């Protein structure tokens, strides 16, 4: 811990730069704050307009239904779909479950093989694990060192039993954007359905289900400055018409694919969030790329032995995943505890495990633990990026002064030739 090794990295007597308020939120892949304009759109539906969208015989129901249909249009427009192809869910975890289990069940006669990849979100991986237990065969494609899948691997994995390919649009840890259009094209050539978890891509970069050859797509409200607990699943209706077997039974809402009373305020919020993204995505992406590249350049200029993870040519605007080699990850996070970012470690049970995504790229445990995911978003400012980079440079430098490994590397000792005592 920073305290116990005698340096004080959390306290600073310097006044905060103008416009910076602590703590700073820079973890926009985990969730995003609600845009005030989204809240404004939702408010009437949290108060006076409370009808059940399924009530067909009075104005309370009609009002709610028309708000839901407007949201359906807003979402569809953002991804190049039609309103009828949008199914509301409780979030992307449910969307992923519904897509994968719903297709697996519906197309079971045709085959039992599903292809996904090792760096998917747990909502896809755990769903596939569950299907494996009930007799489905799952292929987990490896990631290349830059985080992208190899299309040749996908081609080789397909066989006459393959019914579904599920590959995420953009990765939530390392920000890489997969070759979605080519994957979709290949799937369509082979008559295999293509699902994509597009939570991190929708609203951030252009997504078009027709041009991208996507059959089923998951998205979530709270990753695009909308409310938590609401999401959607796009289900293609033509060329091909995708069928999905309902996973939650009761009442046959959402064209029989997802029963349950609709979360009207949440859905209105999701729609409003999509419309804002549609209008502002281009400018926002340009601004985030500038901030991100500025952050990266500043860190790289001041610190040696850093490395950027994930292909930067196919990358989300607001993502930067960087390793600060020879720094202990926990001390690093402790030192920047007034900044909300994610580390390359995941708390599973009682121990800190290195991120499975970074491991899949071939990073060693130490390097993975020393990694930070910066998630820049709509409300981050240049002043915040300056504060964050200055603080990191300070903390990493101080920690390295105390790092025997770093000392040895600087003295030119080849660490790989050292025989470490067993421990
Ligand atoms: C956040 C996230 C999810 C889960 O979405 P929820 O709406 O929180 O259930 C799924 N996939 C990816 C890539 C995510 O980033």
């Amino acid at each position: 811990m920073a305290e116990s090794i005698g340096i004080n990295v959390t306290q600073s007597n310097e006044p905060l730069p103008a416009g910076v308020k602590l703590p700073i939120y820079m973890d926009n892949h985990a969730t995003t704050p609600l845009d005030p304009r989204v809240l404004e759109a939702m408010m009437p539906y949290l108060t006076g307009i409370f009808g059940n969208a399924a009530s067909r015989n009075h104005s309370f129901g009609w009002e709610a239904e028309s708000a839901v249909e407007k949201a359906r249009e807003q979402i569809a427009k953002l991804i190049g779909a039609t309103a009828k192809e949008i199914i509301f869910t409780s979030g992307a975890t449910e969307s992923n479950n519904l897509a994968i289990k719903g297709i697996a069940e519906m197309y079971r006669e045709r085959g039992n093989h599903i292809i996904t990849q090792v760096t998917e979100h747990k909502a896809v991986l755990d769903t596939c694990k569950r299907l494996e237990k009930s007799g489905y065969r799952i292929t987990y494609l490896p990631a290349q060192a830059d985080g992208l899948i190899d299309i040749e691997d996908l081609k080789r994995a397909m066989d006459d039993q393959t019914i579904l390919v599920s590959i995420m649009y953009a990765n939530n840890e390392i920000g890489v954007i997969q070759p979605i259009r080519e994957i979709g094209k290949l799937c369509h050539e082979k008559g295999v359905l293509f699902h994509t978890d597009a939570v991190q891509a929708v609203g951030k970069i252009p997504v078009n289900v027709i041009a991208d050859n996507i059959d089923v797509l998951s998205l979530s409200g709270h990753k695009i400055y909308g409310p938590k607990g609401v999401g959607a699943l796009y289900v293609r209706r033509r060329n091909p018409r995708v069928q999905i077997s309902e996973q939650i039974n009761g009442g046959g809402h959402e064209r029989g694919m997802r029963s349950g009373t609709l979360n009207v305020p949440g859905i209105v919020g999701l729609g409003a969030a999509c419309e804002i993204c549609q209008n502002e995505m281009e400018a926002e992406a340009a601004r985030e790329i500038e901030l991100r590249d500025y952050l990266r350049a500043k860190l790289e200029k001041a610190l040696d032995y850093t490395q950027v993870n994930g292909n930067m040519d196919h990358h989300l605007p607001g993502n930067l995943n960087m390793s600060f080699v020879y720094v202990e990850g926990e001390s690093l996070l402790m030192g920047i505890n007034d900044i909300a970012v994610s580390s390359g470690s995941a708390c599973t049970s009682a121990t800190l495990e290195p991120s499975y995504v970074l491991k899949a790229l071939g990073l060693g445990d130490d390097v993975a633990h020393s990694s930070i995911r910066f998630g820049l978003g709509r409300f981050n400012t240049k002043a915040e990026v300056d504060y964050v980079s200055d603080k990191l440079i300070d903390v990493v430098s101080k920690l390295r002064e105390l790092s025997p490994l770093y000392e040895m590397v600087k003295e030119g000792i080849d660490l790989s030739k050292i025989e470490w005592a067993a421990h």
Side-chain angles (χ1 to χ4, degrees):
M1 268 183 268
E3 250 70 34
S4 63
I5 50 177
I7 57 164
N8 191 340
V9 287
T10 60
Q11 303 292 315
S12 163
N13 297 322
E14 282 171 38
L16 285 175
V20 173
K21 240 182 76 195
L22 298 180
I24 291 171
Y25 189 74
M26 211 173 268
D27 199 16
N28 285 282
H29 303 299
T31 193
T32 55
L34 194 71
D35 190 302
R37 295 168 289 178
V38 172
L39 177 63
E40 200 183 323
M42 291 170 70
M43 275 311 275
Y45 300 91
L46 289 159
T47 49
I49 311 178
F50 61 86
N52 186 329
S55 297
R56 285 282 153 78
N57 44 14
H58 52 65
S59 62
F60 293 84
W62 302 332
E63 249 182 323
E65 195 198 6
S66 98
V68 166
E69 292 317 309
K70 181 182 169 197
R72 231 187 271 283
E73 298 277 358
Q74 289 166 316
I75 298 160
K77 190 167 173 217
L78 181 61
I79 60 170
T82 61
K84 278 188 176 164
E85 295 173 308
I86 304 299
I87 303 296
F88 290 112
T89 65
S90 64
T93 299
E94 187 192 334
S95 297
N96 286 339
N97 270 265
L98 175 57
I100 298 168
K101 288 176 184 165
I103 286 171
E105 209 174 290
M106 188 61 90
Y107 295 84
R108 181 66 188 83
E109 307 269 272
R110 198 180 291 177
N112 74 337
H113 182 227
I114 295 170
I115 302 172
T116 185
Q117 56 160 344
V118 289
T119 56
E120 288 292 315
H121 191 272
K122 288 288 182 188
V124 166
L125 291 177
D126 288 350
T127 302
C128 288
K129 293 237 164 64
R130 172 68 183 272
L131 286 174
E132 252 172 331
K133 285 195 188 128
S134 37
Y136 289 87
R137 194 158 48 86
I138 316 282
T139 300
Y140 300 91
L141 299 177
Q144 302 177 99
D146 66 356
L148 297 180
I149 66 157
D150 184 343
I151 288 276
E152 294 305 315
D153 286 342
L154 175 59
K155 271 188 200 154
R156 272 191 295 272
M158 284 180 167
D159 61 35
D160 60 1
Q161 288 292 300
T162 310
I163 50 174
L164 174 67
V165 168
S166 180
I167 302 284
M168 73 202 317
Y169 210 117
N171 187 274
N172 48 298
E173 284 191 41
I174 51 173
V176 298
I177 300 167
Q178 296 291 349
I180 291 299
R181 201 162 287 190
E182 291 97 283
I183 296 168
K185 186 164 173 278
L186 183 63
C187 289
H188 281 183
E189 280 164 13
K190 306 263 181 186
V192 172
L193 293 177
F194 177 38
H195 164 253
T196 186
D197 173 346
V199 171
Q200 297 290 344
V202 167
K204 314 286 168 62
I205 55 171
V207 170
N208 184 296
V209 291
I210 304 298
D212 292 342
N213 308 301
I214 295 163
D215 297 316
V216 188
L217 174 149
S218 304
L219 61 91
S220 175
H222 74 103
K223 305 289 176 84
I224 54 173
Y225 313 93
K228 291 173 179 61
V230 62
L233 187 67
Y234 155 78
V235 184
R236 187 186 273 265
R237 273 166 69 89
R238 305 183 47 224
N239 305 320
R241 182 183 182 89
V242 179
Q243 290 180 287
I244 289 200
S245 89
E246 189 180 25
Q247 300 299 306
I248 295 177
N249 308 106
H253 307 70
E254 297 300 273
R255 298 187 17 245
M257 285 189 240
R258 200 277 192 177
S259 286
T261 301
L262 291 179
N263 169 7
V264 178
I267 287 167
V268 167
L270 175 55
C274 285
E275 189 174 312
I276 295 170
C277 287
Q278 174 110 36
N279 295 334
E280 301 181 1
M281 178 161 59
E282 215 179 302
E284 194 167 309
R287 197 183 72 88
E288 283 176 16
I289 287 171
E290 204 177 307
L291 285 181
R292 179 198 69 198
D293 291 347
Y294 174 69
L295 172 63
R296 176 185 175 180
K298 230 178 125 177
L299 293 170
E300 284 180 339
K301 182 153 186 267
L303 300 167
D304 52 7
Y305 299 102
T306 61
Q307 103 180 25
V308 166
N309 302 309
N311 186 314
M312 291 306 285
D313 296 327
H314 302 276
H315 213 92
L316 286 175
N319 176 277
L320 179 66
N321 189 306
M322 210 163 173
S323 307
F324 300 90
V325 190
Y326 310 122
V327 166
E328 210 248 315
E330 236 177 314
S331 313
L332 181 54
L333 275 195
M334 206 96 62
I336 56 167
N337 63 4
D338 52 7
I339 301 165
V341 290
S342 274
S343 78
S345 315
C347 233
T348 48
S349 59
T351 59
L352 269 189
E353 290 289 327
S355 141
Y356 67 91
V357 173
L358 295 177
K359 294 270 291 185
L361 269 52
L363 269 64
D365 288 11
D366 287 352
V367 179
H369 279 306
S370 80
S371 306
I372 300 275
R373 175 187 71 179
F374 302 93
L376 291 157
R378 183 173 293 169
F379 301 110
N380 287 120
T381 62
K382 177 115 185 285
E384 287 180 331
V385 171
D386 269 319
Y387 180 88
V388 167
S389 46
D390 290 345
K391 183 93 181 206
L392 255 160
I393 290 164
D394 185 44
V395 172
V396 170
S397 307
K398 281 184 175 142
L399 289 170
R400 279 183 176 166
E401 274 169 31
L402 303 164
S403 159
L405 283 184
Y406 181 70
E407 196 89 332
M408 287 155 90
V409 172
K410 291 301 266 186
E411 282 166 16
I413 298 168
D414 184 351
L415 292 181
S416 65
K417 299 237 168 70
I418 296 179
E419 285 183 37
W420 304 99
H423 61 270

